[in-house]
Amino acid sequence: MFPQKYGFFPFVWMFYLLLPAFNLQEERGLKLIIGAALLLLFAVTYRQLYWAGDKAFNYWLGLQMLLIVVLSLCYNPVNFFMGFFSSNFVGWYAGKREFKIAYVVFCGVILVPLVIAAWGMNLHDLLFFFPFLIIMLVSPFGVKSLGRRKILEKQLDQANEVIEELVKREERMRIARDLHDTMGHTLSLITLKSQLVERLVAKDPERAQAEAREIQRTSRAALRQVRELVSEMRAVTVAEELAEAGKMLRAAEIALEVQGEVSLEDVPDLTQNILSLCIKEAVTNIVKHSQATRCRIGIALTEGAVRITVEDNGIGLTPDEAGRERRDGNGMKGMAERLSLVDGSMTLCSNPGGGTALSVVIPRIIKEHKEGELA
């Protein structure tokens, strides 16, 4: 009946139509029938104004204001309170000119019936109407201000998305430039020296050995350059990914419980980045496939490894044609490939009490060369 984005709010306003409907009980015969038809038409205009476009919106709003005048003059002056409906819609005009025109017409629609009815009212009744009149005349400005704020917030969100995308694009371009500048020459040099070694093996073994040692030194220098480049990249920490996971789970109405040390201050950025990707993939699978209502993420930090467990109370792993639990999804394969880069491991299984449990383990120290370099 109404757009979903407004929720239950439009139905609450329809409750206030009971007042003019109650006032119609004083009428009899044809006047009662006509009044009921006008009130029903007013309800139709109220509903249509939530769906109407620009021109149709003007027509429906004009018809609604006309009905307020007729019901106020020909039936009961109290029907002037129906102007609160129109005051809300007047505030929907975004343009200044349209808003001013609609507001002036609205003021006439409200004030003219009230002034005409005032001749037969005493001072006490007029004072009763006065506060509501002020609120009714001010409401369009408040509604317009709220609408403008929503538009600005939407534009701000869109601008932030564009900025974030531009930052990512610039970061990718910077990485591409750095890789080309730092690694292009080095890899070309290694290729040429490898070809030279291949020719010198039979002719000049000693020089071939010297060139091979030079290739080793060049490759180590290239490895250091890659590490420096990676260390400058923006890595997503586990704490940041847990915050994003919390937002996703709340949107899916899944409760999140986090246990353990979240900061992981002594864990390298590369390890945190891979752990963050694993958490993201696991949470995405829970939201899409698990039908769970709870999710628990545990973080355990020891001297030799970092362990993260992600558990849910959902339906567990689905069996394949042979009746075995499926663990071969593309997301799991990508997670295993990322973990293999840092000698990490993962296990995925169904919990005995229901749900799925994922465990990811990454060594904190992988290998150390004689020169003291960390691999």
Side-chain angles (χ1 to χ4, degrees), residues 3-301:
Q4 292 184 356
K5 64 179 181 179
Y6 295 106
F8 195 69
F9 178 76
F11 295 96
V12 176
W13 273 82
M14 294 189 69
F15 175 80
Y16 294 100
L17 291 177
L18 295 178
L19 177 62
F22 179 79
N23 293 332
L24 283 176
Q25 293 180 353
E26 302 174 357
E27 310 298 337
R28 295 292 182 269
L30 183 60
K31 189 175 182 181
L32 174 61
I33 297 174
I34 296 175
L38 293 177
L39 186 59
L40 179 61
L41 181 58
F42 184 90
V44 173
T45 64
Y46 173 69
R47 187 263 181 188
Q48 291 300 112
L49 282 169
Y50 279 97
W51 296 97
D54 294 337
K55 291 185 178 180
F57 185 87
N58 296 333
Y59 297 145
W60 284 111
L61 183 57
L63 178 59
Q64 187 180 89
M65 291 183 181
L66 178 61
L67 291 172
I68 294 174
V69 174
V70 174
L71 290 170
S72 299
L73 293 178
C74 301
Y75 286 87
N76 194 317
V78 179
N79 290 330
F80 129 93
F81 286 110
M82 298 172 68
F84 278 107
F85 288 88
S86 299
S87 67
N88 173 58
F89 293 113
V90 169
W92 285 20
Y93 284 99
K96 292 183 178 180
R97 181 175 178 274
E98 294 83 357
F99 175 77
K100 289 180 180 179
I101 294 174
Y103 184 74
V104 170
V105 175
F106 171 72
C107 290
V109 167
I110 297 302
L111 293 175
V112 170
L114 188 60
V115 170
I116 294 175
W119 294 106
M121 294 183 183
N122 55 43
L123 182 60
H124 180 270
D125 292 335
L126 288 176
L127 292 177
F128 172 78
F129 281 108
F130 185 75
F132 296 100
L133 175 64
I134 298 299
I135 296 174
M136 199 179 299
L137 295 177
V138 173
S139 294
F141 295 97
V143 174
K144 182 176 175 61
S145 178
L146 290 175
R148 184 165 57 246
R149 179 180 178 181
K150 290 181 179 179
I151 293 175
L152 291 176
E153 289 177 351
K154 184 178 180 180
Q155 292 176 346
L156 180 61
D157 292 338
Q158 293 174 347
N160 288 334
E161 291 178 0
V162 172
I163 292 173
E164 184 177 354
E165 183 61 30
L166 290 175
V167 170
K168 291 180 180 178
R169 187 180 303 174
E170 179 62 26
E171 183 70 8
R172 287 194 293 266
M173 293 178 64
R174 184 188 68 82
I175 294 171
R177 289 194 302 267
D178 291 347
L179 284 174
H180 180 271
D181 295 341
T182 59
M183 298 301 299
H185 173 74
T186 302
L187 293 176
S188 299
L189 180 61
I190 290 175
T191 301
L192 293 174
K193 285 186 173 292
S194 300
Q195 295 173 350
L196 179 61
V197 168
E198 183 180 7
R199 292 194 297 267
L200 292 175
V201 167
K203 298 180 180 180
D204 192 349
E206 293 183 0
R207 185 181 174 187
Q209 291 178 358
E211 293 293 341
R213 287 191 293 270
E214 182 64 24
I215 291 175
Q216 292 178 7
R217 286 193 293 270
T218 304
S219 64
R220 288 198 183 99
L223 182 60
R224 283 194 298 270
Q225 291 175 347
V226 170
R227 290 193 186 118
E228 292 174 358
L229 179 62
V230 171
S231 64
E232 294 176 358
M233 293 172 58
R234 172 72 169 88
V236 179
T237 65
V238 171
E240 292 172 341
E241 187 56 42
L242 286 174
E244 293 297 322
K247 295 179 183 178
M248 181 183 295
L249 291 171
R250 280 194 299 271
E253 297 183 351
I254 300 175
L256 173 63
E257 177 187 356
V258 179
Q259 298 178 350
E261 180 61 33
V262 176
S263 60
L264 299 179
E265 297 179 354
D266 298 331
V267 177
D269 292 341
L270 178 60
T271 301
Q272 291 215 37
N273 201 30
I274 293 178
L275 288 172
S276 300
L277 293 173
C278 293
I279 293 173
K280 183 175 183 179
E281 180 64 32
V283 170
T284 302
N285 288 337
I286 291 174
V287 172
K288 288 184 177 180
H289 310 297
S290 70
Q291 302 179 20
T293 58
R294 295 193 309 274
C295 172
R296 188 185 71 84
I297 299 178
I299 303 172
L301 185 63

Side-chain angles (χ1 to χ4, degrees), residues 227 266-272 275 300-307 339-345 361-370 372-375:
R227 290 193 186 118
D266 298 331
V267 177
D269 292 341
L270 178 60
T271 301
Q272 291 215 37
L275 288 172
L301 185 63
T302 64
E303 292 184 0
V306 182
R307 177 186 296 274
L339 289 171
S340 65
L341 298 175
V342 289
D343 289 348
S345 61
V361 180
I362 296 181
R364 295 183 64 183
I365 299 177
I366 301 170
K367 192 197 308 184
E368 191 168 339
H369 288 302
K370 288 185 291 185
E373 295 180 349
L374 186 67

